[in-house]
Amino acid sequence: MSDKSPNTTWHTGAVGRTERERLLGQRGATVWFTGLSGSGKSTIAVAVEALLVGQGRLCYRVDGDNLRHGLNRNLGFSPIDRAENVRRTGEVCRILGDAGVIALASLVSPFRADRNMVRALHDEWTLPFLEAFVD
């Protein structure tokens, strides 16, 4: 499936997204909050999460700072590392969306090309991707 992993095979499961969405009564998606540091991305994501859960929706906040404590702890802030941070975050959101979860991503993601790459990842799996600029 990947140019960098030629010796791997994609394994399709017996349960698909349609079954997971039916079970949850919702469709998976990503809402991507982007903006400068300190603009309120995480604060808004926390409020949206509370609102959605209050409405009975399964969602999960994928906070850029939180990911840098684990999954992305080896990344710095160079343009290359920022792009990889966005890519990894986008992959996590895509997996959550495929599981039927609404992912609420909040990270600086300053480069349009990186955000467009994440949008393309979602398009590849026909998952909704909504981008919100927080100023």
PDB file of all heavy atoms in Angstrom, residues 21-38:
ATOM      1  N   GLU A  21     -20.593   2.320  11.698  1.00  0.00           N
ATOM      2  CA  GLU A  21     -21.432   3.513  11.724  1.00  0.00           C
ATOM      3  C   GLU A  21     -22.856   3.175  12.151  1.00  0.00           C
ATOM      4  O   GLU A  21     -23.475   3.921  12.910  1.00  0.00           O
ATOM      5  CB  GLU A  21     -21.417   4.201  10.358  1.00  0.00           C
ATOM      6  CG  GLU A  21     -20.087   4.863  10.049  1.00  0.00           C
ATOM      7  CD  GLU A  21     -19.982   5.436   8.644  1.00  0.00           C
ATOM      8  OE1 GLU A  21     -20.833   5.098   7.782  1.00  0.00           O
ATOM      9  OE2 GLU A  21     -19.051   6.223   8.403  1.00  0.00           O
ATOM     10  N   ARG A  22     -23.363   2.044  11.688  1.00  0.00           N
ATOM     11  CA  ARG A  22     -24.705   1.609  12.081  1.00  0.00           C
ATOM     12  C   ARG A  22     -24.733   1.348  13.593  1.00  0.00           C
ATOM     13  O   ARG A  22     -25.678   1.747  14.285  1.00  0.00           O
ATOM     14  CB  ARG A  22     -25.106   0.358  11.310  1.00  0.00           C
ATOM     15  CG  ARG A  22     -26.567  -0.016  11.493  1.00  0.00           C
ATOM     16  CD  ARG A  22     -27.025  -1.206  10.638  1.00  0.00           C
ATOM     17  NE  ARG A  22     -26.612  -1.094   9.246  1.00  0.00           N
ATOM     18  CZ  ARG A  22     -25.811  -1.970   8.634  1.00  0.00           C
ATOM     19  NH1 ARG A  22     -25.342  -3.011   9.258  1.00  0.00           N
ATOM     20  NH2 ARG A  22     -25.489  -1.810   7.361  1.00  0.00           N
ATOM     21  N   LEU A  23     -23.718   0.701  14.104  1.00  0.00           N
ATOM     22  CA  LEU A  23     -23.621   0.409  15.538  1.00  0.00           C
ATOM     23  C   LEU A  23     -23.616   1.688  16.370  1.00  0.00           C
ATOM     24  O   LEU A  23     -24.295   1.792  17.395  1.00  0.00           O
ATOM     25  CB  LEU A  23     -22.351  -0.407  15.814  1.00  0.00           C
ATOM     26  CG  LEU A  23     -22.037  -0.731  17.273  1.00  0.00           C
ATOM     27  CD1 LEU A  23     -23.065  -1.717  17.817  1.00  0.00           C
ATOM     28  CD2 LEU A  23     -20.637  -1.311  17.387  1.00  0.00           C
ATOM     29  N   LEU A  24     -22.858   2.698  15.906  1.00  0.00           N
ATOM     30  CA  LEU A  24     -22.736   3.960  16.645  1.00  0.00           C
ATOM     31  C   LEU A  24     -23.870   4.942  16.355  1.00  0.00           C
ATOM     32  O   LEU A  24     -24.076   5.888  17.113  1.00  0.00           O
ATOM     33  CB  LEU A  24     -21.398   4.628  16.294  1.00  0.00           C
ATOM     34  CG  LEU A  24     -20.144   3.900  16.752  1.00  0.00           C
ATOM     35  CD1 LEU A  24     -18.905   4.562  16.169  1.00  0.00           C
ATOM     36  CD2 LEU A  24     -20.075   3.856  18.270  1.00  0.00           C
ATOM     37  N   GLY A  25     -24.547   4.754  15.239  1.00  0.00           N
ATOM     38  CA  GLY A  25     -25.597   5.688  14.858  1.00  0.00           C
ATOM     39  C   GLY A  25     -25.040   7.035  14.421  1.00  0.00           C
ATOM     40  O   GLY A  25     -25.693   8.073  14.565  1.00  0.00           O
ATOM     41  N   GLN A  26     -23.853   7.014  13.874  1.00  0.00           N
ATOM     42  CA  GLN A  26     -23.225   8.244  13.386  1.00  0.00           C
ATOM     43  C   GLN A  26     -22.172   7.900  12.355  1.00  0.00           C
ATOM     44  O   GLN A  26     -21.753   6.752  12.233  1.00  0.00           O
ATOM     45  CB  GLN A  26     -22.579   9.035  14.532  1.00  0.00           C
ATOM     46  CG  GLN A  26     -21.340   8.376  15.113  1.00  0.00           C
ATOM     47  CD  GLN A  26     -20.732   9.179  16.243  1.00  0.00           C
ATOM     48  OE1 GLN A  26     -21.432   9.715  17.081  1.00  0.00           O
ATOM     49  NE2 GLN A  26     -19.411   9.263  16.262  1.00  0.00           N
ATOM     50  N   ARG A  27     -21.747   8.918  11.648  1.00  0.00           N
ATOM     51  CA  ARG A  27     -20.686   8.788  10.650  1.00  0.00           C
ATOM     52  C   ARG A  27     -19.399   9.372  11.204  1.00  0.00           C
ATOM     53  O   ARG A  27     -19.418  10.424  11.844  1.00  0.00           O
ATOM     54  CB  ARG A  27     -21.106   9.586   9.422  1.00  0.00           C
ATOM     55  CG  ARG A  27     -20.618   8.968   8.166  1.00  0.00           C
ATOM     56  CD  ARG A  27     -21.135   9.640   6.941  1.00  0.00           C
ATOM     57  NE  ARG A  27     -20.087   9.399   5.957  1.00  0.00           N
ATOM     58  CZ  ARG A  27     -19.842  10.159   4.934  1.00  0.00           C
ATOM     59  NH1 ARG A  27     -20.553  11.221   4.712  1.00  0.00           N
ATOM     60  NH2 ARG A  27     -18.872   9.869   4.114  1.00  0.00           N
ATOM     61  N   GLY A  28     -18.294   8.714  10.970  1.00  0.00           N
ATOM     62  CA  GLY A  28     -16.999   9.239  11.384  1.00  0.00           C
ATOM     63  C   GLY A  28     -16.596  10.421  10.524  1.00  0.00           C
ATOM     64  O   GLY A  28     -16.977  10.521   9.358  1.00  0.00           O
ATOM     65  N   ALA A  29     -15.825  11.326  11.110  1.00  0.00           N
ATOM     66  CA  ALA A  29     -15.371  12.527  10.401  1.00  0.00           C
ATOM     67  C   ALA A  29     -14.233  13.152  11.194  1.00  0.00           C
ATOM     68  O   ALA A  29     -13.990  12.788  12.341  1.00  0.00           O
ATOM     69  CB  ALA A  29     -16.511  13.530  10.268  1.00  0.00           C
ATOM     70  N   THR A  30     -13.562  14.110  10.568  1.00  0.00           N
ATOM     71  CA  THR A  30     -12.535  14.892  11.255  1.00  0.00           C
ATOM     72  C   THR A  30     -12.880  16.362  11.137  1.00  0.00           C
ATOM     73  O   THR A  30     -13.186  16.855  10.049  1.00  0.00           O
ATOM     74  CB  THR A  30     -11.140  14.640  10.650  1.00  0.00           C
ATOM     75  OG1 THR A  30     -10.779  13.270  10.875  1.00  0.00           O
ATOM     76  CG2 THR A  30     -10.093  15.549  11.262  1.00  0.00           C
ATOM     77  N   VAL A  31     -12.814  17.045  12.278  1.00  0.00           N
ATOM     78  CA  VAL A  31     -12.882  18.503  12.304  1.00  0.00           C
ATOM     79  C   VAL A  31     -11.485  18.958  12.702  1.00  0.00           C
ATOM     80  O   VAL A  31     -10.989  18.607  13.777  1.00  0.00           O
ATOM     81  CB  VAL A  31     -13.938  19.032  13.299  1.00  0.00           C
ATOM     82  CG1 VAL A  31     -13.983  20.553  13.270  1.00  0.00           C
ATOM     83  CG2 VAL A  31     -15.305  18.435  13.000  1.00  0.00           C
ATOM     84  N   TRP A  32     -10.831  19.699  11.817  1.00  0.00           N
ATOM     85  CA  TRP A  32      -9.430  20.082  11.965  1.00  0.00           C
ATOM     86  C   TRP A  32      -9.352  21.565  12.328  1.00  0.00           C
ATOM     87  O   TRP A  32      -9.594  22.421  11.491  1.00  0.00           O
ATOM     88  CB  TRP A  32      -8.715  19.812  10.645  1.00  0.00           C
ATOM     89  CG  TRP A  32      -7.229  19.889  10.684  1.00  0.00           C
ATOM     90  CD1 TRP A  32      -6.453  21.008  10.538  1.00  0.00           C
ATOM     91  CD2 TRP A  32      -6.333  18.800  10.846  1.00  0.00           C
ATOM     92  NE1 TRP A  32      -5.140  20.677  10.609  1.00  0.00           N
ATOM     93  CE2 TRP A  32      -5.023  19.322  10.797  1.00  0.00           C
ATOM     94  CE3 TRP A  32      -6.506  17.421  11.035  1.00  0.00           C
ATOM     95  CZ2 TRP A  32      -3.902  18.516  10.919  1.00  0.00           C
ATOM     96  CZ3 TRP A  32      -5.386  16.628  11.158  1.00  0.00           C
ATOM     97  CH2 TRP A  32      -4.098  17.175  11.102  1.00  0.00           C
ATOM     98  N   PHE A  33      -9.049  21.851  13.599  1.00  0.00           N
ATOM     99  CA  PHE A  33      -8.899  23.230  14.058  1.00  0.00           C
ATOM    100  C   PHE A  33      -7.452  23.654  13.849  1.00  0.00           C
ATOM    101  O   PHE A  33      -6.531  23.054  14.412  1.00  0.00           O
ATOM    102  CB  PHE A  33      -9.266  23.345  15.538  1.00  0.00           C
ATOM    103  CG  PHE A  33     -10.697  22.992  15.825  1.00  0.00           C
ATOM    104  CD1 PHE A  33     -11.027  21.731  16.296  1.00  0.00           C
ATOM    105  CD2 PHE A  33     -11.709  23.911  15.619  1.00  0.00           C
ATOM    106  CE1 PHE A  33     -12.343  21.391  16.569  1.00  0.00           C
ATOM    107  CE2 PHE A  33     -13.036  23.585  15.883  1.00  0.00           C
ATOM    108  CZ  PHE A  33     -13.351  22.318  16.363  1.00  0.00           C
ATOM    109  N   THR A  34      -7.232  24.681  13.056  1.00  0.00           N
ATOM    110  CA  THR A  34      -5.893  25.171  12.785  1.00  0.00           C
ATOM    111  C   THR A  34      -5.829  26.658  13.096  1.00  0.00           C
ATOM    112  O   THR A  34      -6.843  27.353  13.080  1.00  0.00           O
ATOM    113  CB  THR A  34      -5.488  24.905  11.314  1.00  0.00           C
ATOM    114  OG1 THR A  34      -4.135  25.305  11.115  1.00  0.00           O
ATOM    115  CG2 THR A  34      -6.384  25.624  10.330  1.00  0.00           C
ATOM    116  N   GLY A  35      -4.661  27.127  13.429  1.00  0.00           N
ATOM    117  CA  GLY A  35      -4.450  28.529  13.763  1.00  0.00           C
ATOM    118  C   GLY A  35      -3.150  28.659  14.537  1.00  0.00           C
ATOM    119  O   GLY A  35      -2.506  27.665  14.860  1.00  0.00           O
ATOM    120  N   LEU A  36      -2.795  29.889  14.833  1.00  0.00           N
ATOM    121  CA  LEU A  36      -1.547  30.138  15.545  1.00  0.00           C
ATOM    122  C   LEU A  36      -1.600  29.613  16.978  1.00  0.00           C
ATOM    123  O   LEU A  36      -2.682  29.397  17.531  1.00  0.00           O
ATOM    124  CB  LEU A  36      -1.239  31.638  15.546  1.00  0.00           C
ATOM    125  CG  LEU A  36      -0.973  32.272  14.181  1.00  0.00           C
ATOM    126  CD1 LEU A  36      -0.781  33.778  14.323  1.00  0.00           C
ATOM    127  CD2 LEU A  36       0.237  31.625  13.523  1.00  0.00           C
ATOM    128  N   SER A  37      -0.440  29.452  17.572  1.00  0.00           N
ATOM    129  CA  SER A  37      -0.342  29.038  18.965  1.00  0.00           C
ATOM    130  C   SER A  37      -1.076  30.050  19.840  1.00  0.00           C
ATOM    131  O   SER A  37      -0.931  31.262  19.658  1.00  0.00           O
ATOM    132  CB  SER A  37       1.137  28.951  19.350  1.00  0.00           C
ATOM    133  OG  SER A  37       1.262  28.482  20.657  1.00  0.00           O
ATOM    134  N   GLY A  38      -1.879  29.559  20.761  1.00  0.00           N
ATOM    135  CA  GLY A  38      -2.602  30.435  21.669  1.00  0.00           C
ATOM    136  C   GLY A  38      -3.886  31.027  21.109  1.00  0.00           C
ATOM    137  O   GLY A  38      -4.523  31.858  21.756  1.00  0.00           O
TER     138      GLY A  38
END
